[in-house]
Amino acid sequence: MPTDPHPIATKSKAQKRSTTAEASSHSESKRAKHTLTSPPPPPSPPPPSPPSFTLPPPHPSAITIPLKSPTHYGLIQERLASLHPTHLSAQNLTYALLIQAILWNQTTGRTALPVLRTLLSLYPNPEALSLAPLDVLREILRPIGLYNVRAKRLVEFARVWNQAPPGKGRVYRPRGKGYGRGAGGKGGDEGEEGWEIAHLPGVGPYALDSWRMFGRDALVGKYSEHSIPAFHPNDSENDNEGSKRAEKPEEREEEWKRVIPGDKDLRAWMIWRWKKEGFEYDVLAGRRKRQMTILGQEKVVEEEEEEEEEKEIAK
């Protein structure tokens, strides 16, 4: 049988595996070379850092809220009211009570208390608050939410206050809905319908009730203006009748006794406070009862009946 002068070379399995491995190694080296020579991707930009915020220094007249007193029920309003008259004027007490009420709207007292401390430290009066930068107010108010709305409202509140400061003898009718009974009554000493703070932005039913309970007596005084006779140069110094009238001016009833609050915390305080006076208080009806001993018998007496019962006892 003749032999082929050019036989076809056949590769063994080992040779095939070696050839395949060399090809794979060559491809990998090319990819590695391409990877090494390609420029690295640009680094991603860092996330934007929040703007730095530094509180201004405390105001020289900064208001410091005192600690709770065991003789109080526990409301923040009591702690503010305790600063008058030694540390706060009647005007600044009214200011502090209204700022507190505005901050407490749609948030909790626990969250709002640190914000109130900061505001009263930096802006302890309407003049200072009216000059506060909005961006600073927004950052202070951020923890309690609605900080844009609240910041603008506080500045507007201070602006209106500076134009028409609350004071005795000028009252305004409450605007809007939600005011409880007694809120639209005759608050002025001259019998006008309204209250001394009702014109201020942000003063709603809660703020009005709170201020009436803890601040109005300080602002307008304990005596009715019309009950104190005015002095006239022609009056005789020996006018005994006029002297007696001047010595015993008519005292107003304490304002908190005339309030029928709608807020649950203010209602709880009213029950506690009337109990100290010896009364059971119905927060819904605004009526009070006293436990009395009449002719040896215990009896619960309605407010209107008390005078008649006292007359009977006197007999």
Side-chain angles (χ1 to χ4, degrees):
M1 181 176 181
T3 58
D4 187 353
H6 302 288
I8 299 174
T10 59
K11 293 183 179 181
S12 65
K13 291 182 178 180
Q15 288 175 328
K16 289 182 179 179
R17 284 197 298 270
S18 175
T19 304
T20 304
E22 288 177 2
S24 176
S25 175
H26 180 68
S27 298
E28 289 178 0
S29 64
K30 288 180 68 177
R31 282 197 300 269
K33 184 177 180 181
H34 177 73
T35 302
L36 291 175
T37 56
S38 300
S44 58
S49 58
S52 59
F53 174 71
T54 305
L55 281 176
H59 193 277
S61 303
I63 298 174
T64 302
I65 301 175
L67 299 175
K68 290 182 179 179
S69 168
T71 61
H72 292 163
Y73 176 75
L75 295 185
I76 182 64
Q77 291 94 325
E78 294 173 297
R79 295 155 69 179
L80 293 173
S82 69
L83 295 172
H84 173 77
T86 54
H87 297 89
L88 280 185
S89 66
Q91 285 269 339
N92 284 349
L93 171 60
T94 292
Y95 168 80
L97 287 170
L98 296 183
I99 293 296
Q100 175 269 320
I102 292 172
L103 295 183
W104 259 238
N105 186 29
Q106 298 185 23
T107 188
T108 63
R110 179 175 297 182
T111 306
L113 181 57
V115 178
L116 178 64
R117 291 184 188 276
T118 301
L119 278 178
L120 294 183
S121 174
L122 300 178
Y123 313 111
N125 52 57
E127 293 78 13
L129 182 60
S130 65
L131 301 175
L134 275 176
D135 58 338
V136 174
L137 285 178
R138 290 190 192 103
E139 291 301 324
I140 294 173
L141 298 166
R142 188 178 293 274
I144 60 175
L146 301 174
Y147 48 87
N148 284 315
V149 175
R150 293 182 196 269
K152 294 177 181 177
R153 181 174 297 165
L154 287 177
V155 172
E156 179 65 9
F157 166 88
R159 185 190 67 80
V160 175
W161 178 302
N162 291 332
Q163 289 180 348
K168 188 174 183 178
R170 179 184 293 179
V171 296
Y172 305 85
R173 183 174 299 180
R175 294 173 294 178
K177 299 179 180 179
Y179 290 91
R181 282 173 293 167
K186 295 181 179 179
D189 286 330
E190 297 300 324
E192 297 93 336
E193 184 176 326
W195 304 99
E196 293 81 0
I197 62 168
H199 64 299
L200 297 171
V203 173
Y206 168 70
L208 179 58
D209 288 345
S210 173
W211 171 75
R212 289 180 61 199
M213 292 166 65
F214 297 97
R216 184 170 188 258
D217 285 338
L219 186 69
V220 303
K222 63 185 295 187
Y223 298 110
S224 296
E225 189 176 69
H226 64 268
S227 70
I228 304 176
F231 172 77
H232 297 284
N234 295 330
D235 287 348
S236 171
E237 294 182 1
N238 298 322
D239 183 359
N240 293 329
E241 183 180 354
S243 299
K244 289 179 182 178
R245 286 189 290 113
E247 288 171 4
K248 295 183 179 180
E250 179 186 344
E251 253 188 77
R252 284 193 310 105
E253 183 181 33
E254 291 176 281
E255 187 67 30
W256 70 266
K257 294 181 178 181
R258 310 192 323 176
V259 182
I260 306 175
D263 176 74
K264 61 180 180 61
D265 291 332
L266 296 182
R267 284 179 170 181
W269 183 89
M270 290 288 281
I271 294 173
W272 170 83
R273 187 64 181 85
W274 274 116
K275 191 173 183 179
K276 293 185 67 175
E277 299 282 324
F279 287 93
E280 296 178 11
Y281 182 69
D282 184 344
V283 294
L284 298 179
R287 298 172 64 87
R288 48 192 184 264
K289 303 176 182 179
R290 185 193 291 273
Q291 190 82 19
M292 299 181 67
T293 302
I294 302 174
L295 303 178
Q297 296 183 351
E298 293 290 332
K299 185 177 180 181
V300 176
V301 181
E302 291 282 351
E303 179 183 1
E304 290 79 3
E305 300 173 358
E306 187 173 351
E307 289 187 8
E308 297 297 328
E309 299 292 353
E310 288 177 351
K311 291 178 182 178
E312 183 178 343
I313 295 172
K315 292 179 182 179

PDB file of all heavy atoms in Angstrom, residues 57-64 116-124:
ATOM      1  N   PRO A  57     -25.833  85.009  70.241  1.00  0.00           N
ATOM      2  CA  PRO A  57     -25.681  85.012  71.711  1.00  0.00           C
ATOM      3  C   PRO A  57     -26.988  85.399  72.384  1.00  0.00           C
ATOM      4  O   PRO A  57     -27.836  86.064  71.789  1.00  0.00           O
ATOM      5  CB  PRO A  57     -24.591  86.068  71.946  1.00  0.00           C
ATOM      6  CG  PRO A  57     -24.649  86.955  70.743  1.00  0.00           C
ATOM      7  CD  PRO A  57     -25.042  86.073  69.598  1.00  0.00           C
ATOM      8  N   PRO A  58     -27.187  84.993  73.629  1.00  0.00           N
ATOM      9  CA  PRO A  58     -28.420  85.363  74.345  1.00  0.00           C
ATOM     10  C   PRO A  58     -28.574  86.871  74.463  1.00  0.00           C
ATOM     11  O   PRO A  58     -27.610  87.621  74.513  1.00  0.00           O
ATOM     12  CB  PRO A  58     -28.235  84.717  75.728  1.00  0.00           C
ATOM     13  CG  PRO A  58     -27.235  83.639  75.522  1.00  0.00           C
ATOM     14  CD  PRO A  58     -26.330  84.105  74.423  1.00  0.00           C
ATOM     15  N   HIS A  59     -29.828  87.290  74.497  1.00  0.00           N
ATOM     16  CA  HIS A  59     -30.153  88.703  74.660  1.00  0.00           C
ATOM     17  C   HIS A  59     -29.798  89.149  76.085  1.00  0.00           C
ATOM     18  O   HIS A  59     -29.898  88.352  77.032  1.00  0.00           O
ATOM     19  CB  HIS A  59     -31.645  88.912  74.397  1.00  0.00           C
ATOM     20  CG  HIS A  59     -32.057  90.320  74.232  1.00  0.00           C
ATOM     21  ND1 HIS A  59     -32.317  91.157  75.308  1.00  0.00           N
ATOM     22  CD2 HIS A  59     -32.268  91.080  73.120  1.00  0.00           C
ATOM     23  CE1 HIS A  59     -32.680  92.341  74.864  1.00  0.00           C
ATOM     24  NE2 HIS A  59     -32.658  92.326  73.540  1.00  0.00           N
ATOM     25  N   PRO A  60     -29.374  90.399  76.275  1.00  0.00           N
ATOM     26  CA  PRO A  60     -29.090  90.872  77.645  1.00  0.00           C
ATOM     27  C   PRO A  60     -30.265  90.737  78.596  1.00  0.00           C
ATOM     28  O   PRO A  60     -30.080  90.581  79.806  1.00  0.00           O
ATOM     29  CB  PRO A  60     -28.724  92.345  77.431  1.00  0.00           C
ATOM     30  CG  PRO A  60     -28.254  92.434  76.022  1.00  0.00           C
ATOM     31  CD  PRO A  60     -29.036  91.411  75.259  1.00  0.00           C
ATOM     32  N   SER A  61     -31.493  90.793  78.060  1.00  0.00           N
ATOM     33  CA  SER A  61     -32.697  90.659  78.900  1.00  0.00           C
ATOM     34  C   SER A  61     -33.325  89.278  78.759  1.00  0.00           C
ATOM     35  O   SER A  61     -34.553  89.129  78.861  1.00  0.00           O
ATOM     36  CB  SER A  61     -33.720  91.738  78.538  1.00  0.00           C
ATOM     37  OG  SER A  61     -33.176  93.028  78.663  1.00  0.00           O
ATOM     38  N   ALA A  62     -32.504  88.269  78.507  1.00  0.00           N
ATOM     39  CA  ALA A  62     -33.008  86.918  78.258  1.00  0.00           C
ATOM     40  C   ALA A  62     -33.925  86.445  79.384  1.00  0.00           C
ATOM     41  O   ALA A  62     -33.659  86.676  80.568  1.00  0.00           O
ATOM     42  CB  ALA A  62     -31.844  85.948  78.091  1.00  0.00           C
ATOM     43  N   ILE A  63     -35.014  85.781  78.991  1.00  0.00           N
ATOM     44  CA  ILE A  63     -35.958  85.215  79.957  1.00  0.00           C
ATOM     45  C   ILE A  63     -35.569  83.770  80.224  1.00  0.00           C
ATOM     46  O   ILE A  63     -35.451  82.971  79.291  1.00  0.00           O
ATOM     47  CB  ILE A  63     -37.402  85.286  79.422  1.00  0.00           C
ATOM     48  CG1 ILE A  63     -37.818  86.745  79.198  1.00  0.00           C
ATOM     49  CG2 ILE A  63     -38.368  84.601  80.378  1.00  0.00           C
ATOM     50  CD1 ILE A  63     -39.180  86.885  78.545  1.00  0.00           C
ATOM     51  N   THR A  64     -35.366  83.428  81.476  1.00  0.00           N
ATOM     52  CA  THR A  64     -35.043  82.064  81.871  1.00  0.00           C
ATOM     53  C   THR A  64     -36.260  81.436  82.534  1.00  0.00           C
ATOM     54  O   THR A  64     -36.773  81.958  83.530  1.00  0.00           O
ATOM     55  CB  THR A  64     -33.853  82.044  82.842  1.00  0.00           C
ATOM     56  OG1 THR A  64     -32.725  82.672  82.228  1.00  0.00           O
ATOM     57  CG2 THR A  64     -33.488  80.611  83.214  1.00  0.00           C
ATOM     58  N   LEU A 116     -39.062  77.026  73.020  1.00  0.00           N
ATOM     59  CA  LEU A 116     -39.488  78.197  73.787  1.00  0.00           C
ATOM     60  C   LEU A 116     -38.330  78.778  74.589  1.00  0.00           C
ATOM     61  O   LEU A 116     -38.150  79.999  74.647  1.00  0.00           O
ATOM     62  CB  LEU A 116     -40.637  77.803  74.717  1.00  0.00           C
ATOM     63  CG  LEU A 116     -41.162  78.914  75.630  1.00  0.00           C
ATOM     64  CD1 LEU A 116     -41.784  80.040  74.814  1.00  0.00           C
ATOM     65  CD2 LEU A 116     -42.165  78.362  76.639  1.00  0.00           C
ATOM     66  N   ARG A 117     -37.538  77.922  75.209  1.00  0.00           N
ATOM     67  CA  ARG A 117     -36.372  78.403  75.969  1.00  0.00           C
ATOM     68  C   ARG A 117     -35.441  79.212  75.076  1.00  0.00           C
ATOM     69  O   ARG A 117     -34.959  80.288  75.458  1.00  0.00           O
ATOM     70  CB  ARG A 117     -35.621  77.223  76.575  1.00  0.00           C
ATOM     71  CG  ARG A 117     -36.340  76.485  77.689  1.00  0.00           C
ATOM     72  CD  ARG A 117     -35.436  75.399  78.274  1.00  0.00           C
ATOM     73  NE  ARG A 117     -36.132  74.556  79.201  1.00  0.00           N
ATOM     74  CZ  ARG A 117     -36.326  74.844  80.492  1.00  0.00           C
ATOM     75  NH1 ARG A 117     -35.886  75.999  80.960  1.00  0.00           N
ATOM     76  NH2 ARG A 117     -36.961  74.000  81.281  1.00  0.00           N
ATOM     77  N   THR A 118     -35.189  78.693  73.880  1.00  0.00           N
ATOM     78  CA  THR A 118     -34.273  79.381  72.965  1.00  0.00           C
ATOM     79  C   THR A 118     -34.842  80.718  72.524  1.00  0.00           C
ATOM     80  O   THR A 118     -34.144  81.743  72.526  1.00  0.00           O
ATOM     81  CB  THR A 118     -34.000  78.492  71.742  1.00  0.00           C
ATOM     82  OG1 THR A 118     -33.434  77.250  72.174  1.00  0.00           O
ATOM     83  CG2 THR A 118     -33.020  79.168  70.790  1.00  0.00           C
ATOM     84  N   LEU A 119     -36.118  80.739  72.151  1.00  0.00           N
ATOM     85  CA  LEU A 119     -36.731  81.984  71.673  1.00  0.00           C
ATOM     86  C   LEU A 119     -36.743  83.056  72.760  1.00  0.00           C
ATOM     87  O   LEU A 119     -36.432  84.222  72.502  1.00  0.00           O
ATOM     88  CB  LEU A 119     -38.148  81.718  71.185  1.00  0.00           C
ATOM     89  CG  LEU A 119     -38.302  81.168  69.768  1.00  0.00           C
ATOM     90  CD1 LEU A 119     -39.766  80.914  69.454  1.00  0.00           C
ATOM     91  CD2 LEU A 119     -37.712  82.117  68.746  1.00  0.00           C
ATOM     92  N   LEU A 120     -37.116  82.676  73.979  1.00  0.00           N
ATOM     93  CA  LEU A 120     -37.185  83.663  75.050  1.00  0.00           C
ATOM     94  C   LEU A 120     -35.793  84.115  75.500  1.00  0.00           C
ATOM     95  O   LEU A 120     -35.655  85.195  76.081  1.00  0.00           O
ATOM     96  CB  LEU A 120     -37.962  83.099  76.245  1.00  0.00           C
ATOM     97  CG  LEU A 120     -39.448  82.824  76.005  1.00  0.00           C
ATOM     98  CD1 LEU A 120     -40.118  82.343  77.285  1.00  0.00           C
ATOM     99  CD2 LEU A 120     -40.163  84.054  75.466  1.00  0.00           C
ATOM    100  N   SER A 121     -34.804  83.301  75.222  1.00  0.00           N
ATOM    101  CA  SER A 121     -33.433  83.710  75.537  1.00  0.00           C
ATOM    102  C   SER A 121     -32.889  84.691  74.505  1.00  0.00           C
ATOM    103  O   SER A 121     -32.237  85.682  74.858  1.00  0.00           O
ATOM    104  CB  SER A 121     -32.528  82.470  75.607  1.00  0.00           C
ATOM    105  OG  SER A 121     -31.181  82.838  75.765  1.00  0.00           O
ATOM    106  N   LEU A 122     -33.195  84.441  73.237  1.00  0.00           N
ATOM    107  CA  LEU A 122     -32.674  85.296  72.163  1.00  0.00           C
ATOM    108  C   LEU A 122     -33.553  86.511  71.913  1.00  0.00           C
ATOM    109  O   LEU A 122     -33.052  87.606  71.607  1.00  0.00           O
ATOM    110  CB  LEU A 122     -32.549  84.488  70.876  1.00  0.00           C
ATOM    111  CG  LEU A 122     -31.616  83.273  70.901  1.00  0.00           C
ATOM    112  CD1 LEU A 122     -31.641  82.568  69.560  1.00  0.00           C
ATOM    113  CD2 LEU A 122     -30.203  83.689  71.252  1.00  0.00           C
ATOM    114  N   TYR A 123     -34.869  86.323  72.042  1.00  0.00           N
ATOM    115  CA  TYR A 123     -35.816  87.389  71.702  1.00  0.00           C
ATOM    116  C   TYR A 123     -36.835  87.525  72.839  1.00  0.00           C
ATOM    117  O   TYR A 123     -37.967  87.060  72.725  1.00  0.00           O
ATOM    118  CB  TYR A 123     -36.512  87.079  70.382  1.00  0.00           C
ATOM    119  CG  TYR A 123     -35.549  86.643  69.299  1.00  0.00           C
ATOM    120  CD1 TYR A 123     -35.540  85.332  68.826  1.00  0.00           C
ATOM    121  CD2 TYR A 123     -34.628  87.540  68.754  1.00  0.00           C
ATOM    122  CE1 TYR A 123     -34.652  84.930  67.840  1.00  0.00           C
ATOM    123  CE2 TYR A 123     -33.727  87.146  67.783  1.00  0.00           C
ATOM    124  CZ  TYR A 123     -33.745  85.843  67.330  1.00  0.00           C
ATOM    125  OH  TYR A 123     -32.857  85.453  66.369  1.00  0.00           O
ATOM    126  N   PRO A 124     -36.461  88.150  73.956  1.00  0.00           N
ATOM    127  CA  PRO A 124     -37.321  88.189  75.135  1.00  0.00           C
ATOM    128  C   PRO A 124     -38.412  89.249  75.096  1.00  0.00           C
ATOM    129  O   PRO A 124     -39.170  89.379  76.059  1.00  0.00           O
ATOM    130  CB  PRO A 124     -36.332  88.487  76.268  1.00  0.00           C
ATOM    131  CG  PRO A 124     -35.261  89.287  75.606  1.00  0.00           C
ATOM    132  CD  PRO A 124     -35.134  88.752  74.214  1.00  0.00           C
TER     133      PRO A 124
END
